[in-house]
Amino acid sequence: MIIRLAWRNIWRNKMRSMVIIASVTAGLFAGMSIMSLYKGMMKSRIRTVIDTETGHIQLHAKGFMGDQDPKRYVQEDGNKIIKLLKDKSIRAIAQRTITAGMVSTPNGSSGVSIIGISPEEEMRVSGLGKKMRQGKMTWPSTTRGMLMGKKLAKKLKLTVGEKVVITMTDTADNLISAAFRIQGIYQSANAPLDEVNVYVSRKELQEMLGLENQVHEIAIVLHDDRLLDSTTQWLAMEFPTLAVEPWKALSPETSLMAETVDTLSYIILVIILVALSFGIMNTMMMSILERRHEIGMMMALGMGRLPLLVLIMTETFFLTIAGIPIALVTGRTAIQYYAKKGMDLSGMGREMMESFGFETMIYPDFPSDKIAFIIALVFATALVSSVVPILKSLSMNPVSALQK
Amino acid sequence: MENTVIDAHNISKTYDPTGIPVPAIRNVHLHIAKGEFVALVGPSGSGKTTLLNMIGGLDHPDSGNIIVNGTDITALRSADLVKFRLHNIGFVFQAFNLIPVLTASENAEFIMLLQKEKKAKRAERINGLFKQVGLLDKKNTRPAQLSGGQQQRVAVVRALASKPQFVLADEPTANLDSAAAFNLLDIMAALNREENMTFIFSTHDQRVIERAKRVITLVDGQIVSDSTKLPL
Ligand SMILES: Nc1ncnc2c1ncn2[C@@H]1O[C@H](COP(=O)(O)OP(=O)(O)O)[C@@H](O)[C@H]1O
Ligand SMILES: [Mg+2]
């Protein structure tokens, strides 16, 4: 009966209730859109990290990541590594010889990571071929070629065909330098990396460093993201002398960002709901003041504090949660549409997005994992919004409320 | 006395909203027995509403006691007073009696619902009373579609449905034309006879007063006369 009374009371002022229900719907819709956008952005960022930066897992000699000392190469026999390629969870691996060095040109110089690669391996592991903007990814073995990021090329005012000098320390601690000719310019989604990573032939770099065919890094790509944890564990057991690190450890800023963005999207939702709760509370207060004679009459007849509290709370809940189903359905539909079509955010500033490592085309992803939490938050909003109206109605005095 | 319903002993009430004390009820003694049909009359401002509110447990006297069916309601805490009203006292007000979003019968069964009476029992009682007051065809009508007299009859049904100790009606006919006022009084008188229900109603309508068996006159918060008509 109280439920029926509450429901009918909501519709006494249809316009006013519709405005509140519509604002809750719009607020939830906006909140879910933002969450979906964030989730889509993070998913694509993680995709980019895995597919073009780190791979799923990398193996290094312990300590190499700290100082990039070329003497710390992976000391494992080749057969064991070849065995890796045969495991059914692993799709591809790329072996890299890496050292820190300095690129110098008449226009200036810049510290870089010199990465010796095999182009075929990189095609499969980091998609380097797709990042080429000028020139080619391969070159005859007679020329010492180099691939440079667009950002660094721009900084040093270099184009394809020009020569640079690279200085580095070999494994015997000799300072060596050699001239390389830029064969190609690449551009990834992560501009800061484009400024430090230069690619050369693995074979040539090994020779210069005084290595035979040793490498410093083995990047591994899996068939499925879900194999990450089990494969990481298995590799750590298999190679106890190596540092086996998943992408989350290799790109801590990405996993930190994913967590931050998660928290941020909750905060945005909470802010929206707090704003809405003022509207809900205000509407309930108006409704109660308009009905003060009626509420006083019910109290006079013997309606206790508890039934009155339940009545006002139920009304607030109806008003608040009526928007949930509409918001969920419309939100889901809209988000799924954009999830297929994609959302072009280059208007927000391509430069800015790229400097943070984001693609400008976002495919929003409906936050299905957060629905229960969103609904719980809306219920909490209803509860919070009902407090003041309940206190107001309980403080009413039947005698004065019954007077004209 | 075993058939006493209300025994008010030396009650006084002074309002003091502006710093100037206004005595509303002064040293009133009142004794009402089961089955009485009492009119409380007096000019506007004489204290009728104040007295009825105190007897009904809506307001506290500054001094004196009110015993309702053996319970001193002036000693009850406010939560207990709410319960006491729910189970012992029927109310009909001058206005704002009905909940506009409920139908006539939903309004009528409101108190029985708060008392958690079973559906069948509620329906039986409400139907019987609606028949008696001639509103059976208006059961599912909302208050806005009822005339003022019909609305007051629904309020009377609601007050009686839970079989309280007595019914208090503060100027129940004030907003009605004379035909509707007489009709309401006739219905109340009939229910007083048939159910032996005690009614105490206030009015300043001379024609309504004539229907009462006992007339108590208040002036300036004091009872100036209390006369019982002998049955003809
Ligand atoms: N809530 C109140 N605050 C102050 N004075 C009041 C209040 N209620 C009634 N009074 C005063 O008490 C006196 C009796 O009022 P009331 O009981 O309403 O008389 P009646 O119902 O006979 O017209 C009047 O002088 C009135 O002004
Ligand atoms: Mg009055």
PDB file of all heavy atoms in Angstrom, chain B residues 48-49 170-171, ligand 2:
ATOM      1  N   LYS B  48     -12.382  25.468  20.901  1.00  0.00           N
ATOM      2  CA  LYS B  48     -12.940  24.158  20.515  1.00  0.00           C
ATOM      3  C   LYS B  48     -11.853  23.251  19.926  1.00  0.00           C
ATOM      4  O   LYS B  48     -11.695  22.101  20.332  1.00  0.00           O
ATOM      5  CB  LYS B  48     -14.076  24.342  19.482  1.00  0.00           C
ATOM      6  CG  LYS B  48     -15.212  25.240  19.938  1.00  0.00           C
ATOM      7  CD  LYS B  48     -16.309  25.340  18.910  1.00  0.00           C
ATOM      8  CE  LYS B  48     -15.896  26.031  17.607  1.00  0.00           C
ATOM      9  NZ  LYS B  48     -15.568  27.471  17.745  1.00  0.00           N
ATOM     10  N   THR B  49     -11.124  23.779  18.947  1.00  0.00           N
ATOM     11  CA  THR B  49     -10.076  22.978  18.295  1.00  0.00           C
ATOM     12  C   THR B  49      -9.010  22.561  19.299  1.00  0.00           C
ATOM     13  O   THR B  49      -8.581  21.405  19.325  1.00  0.00           O
ATOM     14  CB  THR B  49      -9.450  23.789  17.142  1.00  0.00           C
ATOM     15  OG1 THR B  49     -10.463  24.081  16.190  1.00  0.00           O
ATOM     16  CG2 THR B  49      -8.322  23.013  16.471  1.00  0.00           C
ATOM     17  N   ASP B 170     -13.733  17.890  14.094  1.00  0.00           N
ATOM     18  CA  ASP B 170     -13.590  19.339  14.302  1.00  0.00           C
ATOM     19  C   ASP B 170     -14.219  20.074  13.134  1.00  0.00           C
ATOM     20  O   ASP B 170     -13.679  20.073  12.030  1.00  0.00           O
ATOM     21  CB  ASP B 170     -12.107  19.681  14.443  1.00  0.00           C
ATOM     22  CG  ASP B 170     -11.899  21.116  14.918  1.00  0.00           C
ATOM     23  OD1 ASP B 170     -12.898  21.762  15.303  1.00  0.00           O
ATOM     24  OD2 ASP B 170     -10.740  21.575  14.902  1.00  0.00           O
ATOM     25  N   GLU B 171     -15.348  20.686  13.390  1.00  0.00           N
ATOM     26  CA  GLU B 171     -16.122  21.405  12.367  1.00  0.00           C
ATOM     27  C   GLU B 171     -16.240  20.613  11.069  1.00  0.00           C
ATOM     28  O   GLU B 171     -15.848  21.090  10.008  1.00  0.00           O
ATOM     29  CB  GLU B 171     -15.487  22.770  12.099  1.00  0.00           C
ATOM     30  CG  GLU B 171     -15.242  23.514  13.413  1.00  0.00           C
ATOM     31  CD  GLU B 171     -15.499  25.007  13.328  1.00  0.00           C
ATOM     32  OE1 GLU B 171     -16.222  25.418  12.408  1.00  0.00           O
ATOM     33  OE2 GLU B 171     -14.998  25.724  14.195  1.00  0.00           O
TER      34      GLU B 171
HETATM   35 MG    MG C   2     -11.415  25.630  15.406  1.00  0.00          MG
END
